[in-house]
Amino acid sequence: MAGEDFSRFAELAPGFFFNLAVTPPGVDLQTVASNHSPLFQGDDRALPVGVRAMSSLAVEFLTSGGVPRVP
């Protein structure tokens, strides 16, 4: 994640990363393919958790009044 452009965007607006584990049960974490590999296997059971987490964060941010802009 450190190589992404996200840090530049976060200089202008609040932001952070969080990870959601999507490795299927029974797959060895030491040998599993990374998310940029054509062999990547995601566990769709993580989707409801991720959607709920992101939705909750967005609603909480919006109802808090947000963060004031810095000139």
Side-chain angles (χ1 to χ4, degrees):
M1 286 188 262
E4 303 288 340
D5 293 332
F6 182 79
S7 62
R8 295 292 185 184
F9 297 124
E11 290 176 354
L12 304 173
F16 70 98
F17 270 118
F18 70 91
N19 291 318
L20 183 62
V22 296
T23 303
V27 176
D28 183 4
L29 295 177
Q30 300 298 318
T31 60
V32 68
S34 72
N35 62 339
H36 294 286
S37 167
L39 302 175
F40 173 76
Q41 297 178 26
D43 187 352
D44 288 345
R45 291 178 293 176
L47 289 173
V49 175
V51 169
R52 192 166 52 248
M54 290 300 298
S55 299
S56 296
L57 289 168
V59 168
E60 185 175 327
F61 176 77
L62 294 171
T63 58
S64 74
V67 176
R69 289 188 176 264
V70 177

